[in-house]
Amino acid sequence: MTIEGLRDEMENPPARQTIYRRLESMVDLGVVEKEPGEGSAPSVYRDPNAEKRPRTGKEKPQVNYPLYVHNVGGREPDGSPTYIGPWTFSTKMVRDVVEEWIEGRVLNACAGKTELEHDAEIVRNDINPEMDADLNLDVTELGEHFEEESFDSVVFDPPFDQSQAKEHYSMHDTQRGPARRLLMRLVRPGGVFIECGWNDHGPALGYAEDWYREACHRYRRGPSYQPMFLTVDRRRTVFG
């Protein structure tokens, strides 16, 4: 198993224990180095030869951005238990981060049930006509309704996987990648793209050189559940 293979598996990740076993095997073989975390912090695995490897034409992933780790638990303001369910922004610790980052005119591309609070316009879209939204379009159709670079912020919170897509939208494929690329074009230079999902992919990691990552939030849902990621990427104002 290679480092690149591990990255590829993030799209359809195996059980967490499988990844850790593979990483430990790579440590034993001297392929990666392990730095144990202090206290409850997780261990960090590094490729010691990353800088020595030949260039492949692909840009290296950006790594100099803050990573915030949230332990999901406690109670919501209404007293109900805190957990991350199908309506992501109904969880306050997630909604607060999104509301902190959005700016200017906002497109909430997969709005769902929860309304975000903001002091400027929020355009709500959801493919489900039963949702309270301004538009009920497939995300891939939004480019026909809005000009490029017409939003300061885009929030992209689609179903995280095939089972969620089928359960909540009767869809066979979320088409996250093509939808992301379309939505990226709607963001003005200097604007932000906020995305939620099971991995930390986004505009700044492998999609376009005119984007950079501002922050990544990792929501730990317990030892038996996969963490959720919320990423914040910004489009550069000057690029050339």
Side-chain angles (χ1 to χ4, degrees), residues 161-174:
D161 51 43
Q162 176 57 41
S163 61
Q164 286 190 6
K166 184 175 181 180
E167 178 181 357
H168 298 289
Y169 292 98
S170 299
M171 297 169 61
H172 295 289
D173 188 357
T174 61

Side-chain angles (χ1 to χ4, degrees), residues 60-72:
K60 297 178 182 177
Q62 180 187 343
V63 295
N64 57 337
Y65 54 84
L67 171 64
Y68 301 93
V69 179
H70 308 259
N71 291 316
V72 179

